[in-house]
């Protein structure tokens, strides 16, 4: 497993974090989220340093997270600000709770789950969310799979003709040879598909009823962003999903689907959303079966070809990030080949 802890991950929707603390797990780390003074979010290890009770059992009092066992109170930095009945000063390094970087951005609460490293940069921004002319739909899906397997599945073209036959592509029609250009930088990999006809499934006909050749890109951006982008004339669809690894084999997907179509968004969403969720559920089932088989046989064994376009590159990027070896390079890696879709 590639475990990248020095990164921003979505912990929850901003609206899910209200007056009471909530518990989340990222990379196996139990974390408690709460809103402190002024409503700004904080993230602490879900363990009171006093007697090891989960802080998520407590409450928020006067902008501080209060342990439900003895009433110790902590701010967003983990500093103990109040110990009931203690006559001396409450603040002490020995009494501090472990804290994590935390941001509210784009309608989500993001956490940096490495307490030993200061956060670098800011969380990912969904560029078309709120943009004029675009309609955006947000969802949440849980996959019983590793982050790598989940990311590869989201960006894998060949499986759509079989697992999602009729919805996105079909395995019954004559296949078309298209050009694939793979480009990899130090922090991302992209596949551009040229000469691809509009997918014949329900989604393709909905997005481009007149047919034609589409512009299609699939991307993975470290540490955990997957993107699928389609353009055809004035039609533009961008699916960006942030992946959050709860554990080695549980990954949360936070898809943000933004589109600009000839049809009004209010008319498309009731049609597109159920189809998209059905596709996500189909993927979740096959990923769970994949994980069960990996565990049954005692590990992963993959045989890949060129048409497994992005999976090996994603794993390579994750391994580099895990070792903190992500450094800018002069030129992008590029490879061209043909595939049939």
């Amino acid at each position: 497993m590639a475990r990248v802890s020095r990164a921003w991950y979505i912990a929850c929707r901003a609206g899910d974090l209200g007056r009471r603390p909530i518990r989340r797990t990222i990379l196996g780390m139990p974390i408690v989220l709460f809103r402190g003074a002024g409503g700004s979010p904080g993230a602490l290890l879900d363990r009171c340093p006093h007697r090891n009770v989960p802080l998520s059992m407590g409450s928020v009092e006067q902008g501080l997270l209060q342990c439900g066992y003895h009433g110790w109170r902590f701010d967003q930095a983990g500093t103990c600000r109040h110990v009931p009945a203690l006559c001396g000063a409450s603040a002490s390094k020995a009494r501090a709770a472990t804290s994590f970087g935390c941001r509210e951005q784009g309608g989500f609460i993001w956490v940096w789950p490495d307490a030993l490293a200061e956060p670098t940069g800011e969380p990912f921004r969904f560029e078309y969310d709120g943009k004029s002319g675009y309609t955006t739909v947000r969802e949440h899906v849980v996959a019983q799979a590793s982050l790598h397997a989940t990311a590869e599945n989201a960006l894998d073209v060949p499986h759509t003709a079989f697992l999602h036959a009729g919805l996105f592509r079909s395995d019954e029609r004559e296949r078309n040879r298209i050009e694939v250009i793979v480009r990899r930088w130090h922090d991302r990999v992209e596949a551009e598909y040229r000469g691809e006809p509009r997918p014949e499934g329900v989604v393709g006909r909905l997005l481009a009823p007149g047919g034609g050749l589409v512009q299609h890109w699939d991307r993975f951006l470290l540490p955990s962003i997957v993107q699928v982008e389609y353009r055809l004339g004035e039609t533009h669809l961008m699916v960006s999903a942030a992946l959050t690894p709860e554990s080695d084999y549980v990954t949360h997907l936070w898809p943000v689907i933004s589109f600009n179509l000839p049809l009004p968004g209010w008319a498309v969403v009731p049609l597109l959303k159920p189809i998209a969720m059905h596709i996500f559920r189909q993927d979740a089932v096959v990923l769970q079966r994949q994980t069960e088989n990996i565990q049954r046989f005692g590990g992963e064994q993959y045989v890949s070809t060129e048409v497994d376009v992005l999976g090996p590159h994603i794993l390579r990027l994750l391994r580099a990030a895990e070792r903190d070896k992500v450094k800018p390079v002069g030129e992008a890696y590029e490879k061209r080949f043909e595939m049939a879709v």
Side-chain angles (χ1 to χ4, degrees):
M1 292 297 147
R3 303 178 182 92
V4 182
S5 60
R6 296 184 176 184
W8 289 106
Y9 295 105
I10 291 177
C12 67
R13 296 184 183 90
D16 294 338
L17 187 58
R19 299 179 61 182
R20 298 194 57 81
I22 60 176
R23 175 174 175 155
R24 292 293 184 267
T25 303
I26 301 177
L27 289 168
M29 187 79 67
I31 294 172
V32 58
L33 305 170
F34 70 103
R35 291 194 180 276
S40 58
L44 305 179
L45 187 68
D46 194 18
R47 181 180 65 191
C48 182
H50 179 216
R51 289 296 181 267
N52 294 282
V53 170
L55 288 169
S56 56
M57 292 177 56
S59 59
V60 179
E61 306 293 339
Q62 300 177 9
L64 301 173
L65 179 58
Q66 177 174 282
C67 178
Y69 192 19
H70 291 90
W72 285 29
R73 294 182 182 179
F74 303 89
D75 62 17
Q76 290 105 314
T79 304
C80 182
R81 295 298 182 185
H82 178 64
V83 177
L86 181 67
C87 296
S90 298
S92 166
K93 287 186 178 180
R95 300 174 192 146
T98 300
S99 65
F100 304 94
C102 189
R103 300 279 193 280
E104 180 171 353
Q105 179 177 287
F108 295 103
I109 303 297
W110 301 74
V111 171
W112 180 278
D114 189 335
L116 301 179
E118 284 294 319
T120 58
E122 292 298 320
F124 179 79
R125 292 187 180 274
F126 299 94
E127 60 181 310
Y128 293 98
D129 184 16
K131 188 173 181 178
S132 176
Y134 282 78
T135 300
T136 295
V137 178
R138 296 164 178 252
E139 286 298 336
H140 176 217
V141 183
V142 181
Q144 305 296 318
S146 69
L147 187 149
H148 168 239
T150 304
E152 180 180 29
N153 166 266
L155 304 176
D156 177 58
V157 170
H159 88 274
T160 60
F162 298 91
L163 185 62
H164 310 308
L167 290 174
F168 203 71
R169 288 182 174 89
S170 173
D171 63 336
E172 297 178 353
R173 65 184 178 84
E174 183 179 348
R175 293 179 175 270
N176 299 276
R177 295 174 71 92
I178 65 172
E179 183 184 19
V180 184
I181 306 173
V182 178
R183 304 180 183 94
R184 188 185 68 236
W185 296 266
H186 69 287
D187 61 347
R188 66 192 63 201
V189 62
E190 171 187 274
E192 179 184 356
Y193 300 88
R194 292 184 176 179
E196 180 182 4
R198 180 209 67 184
E200 288 301 317
V202 174
V203 175
R205 291 194 295 270
L206 178 63
L207 297 178
L213 296 180
V214 300
Q215 294 176 283
H216 173 195
W217 298 267
D218 289 342
R219 304 182 186 93
F220 174 79
L221 294 72
L222 281 174
S224 63
I225 304 297
V226 294
Q227 289 186 328
V228 176
E229 181 176 13
Y230 279 96
R231 287 185 181 271
L232 177 59
E234 296 182 358
T235 296
H236 184 209
L237 170 70
M238 174 68 87
V239 181
S240 296
L243 311 185
T244 299
E246 178 180 318
S247 61
D248 283 347
Y249 287 109
V250 179
T251 302
H252 292 252
L253 293 87
W254 301 92
V256 177
I257 306 168
S258 298
F259 57 87
N260 186 348
L261 305 177
L263 299 173
W266 61 264
V268 174
V269 170
L271 299 174
L272 186 61
K273 185 174 178 179
I275 296 172
M277 291 307 298
H278 184 65
I279 290 172
F280 281 130
R281 285 192 293 269
Q282 288 178 324
D283 284 331
V285 169
V286 78
L287 284 169
Q288 181 175 352
R289 298 295 179 266
Q290 179 190 48
T291 295
E292 290 169 355
N293 233 26
I294 287 171
Q295 295 172 332
R296 181 180 297 119
F297 287 98
E300 299 174 326
Q301 296 184 28
Y302 294 124
V303 177
S304 298
T305 70
E306 282 186 333
V307 298
D308 298 294
V309 178
L310 294 179
H313 295 283
I314 293 170
L315 186 57
R316 179 173 179 165
L317 289 170
L318 287 171
R319 290 293 188 202
E322 182 182 40
R323 299 191 303 268
D324 200 22
K325 299 292 185 181
V326 178
K327 300 187 184 304
V329 293
E331 295 183 2
Y333 162 96
E334 182 173 305
K335 182 177 182 180
R336 296 170 181 248
F337 57 94
E338 287 188 329
M339 68 182 294
V341 297

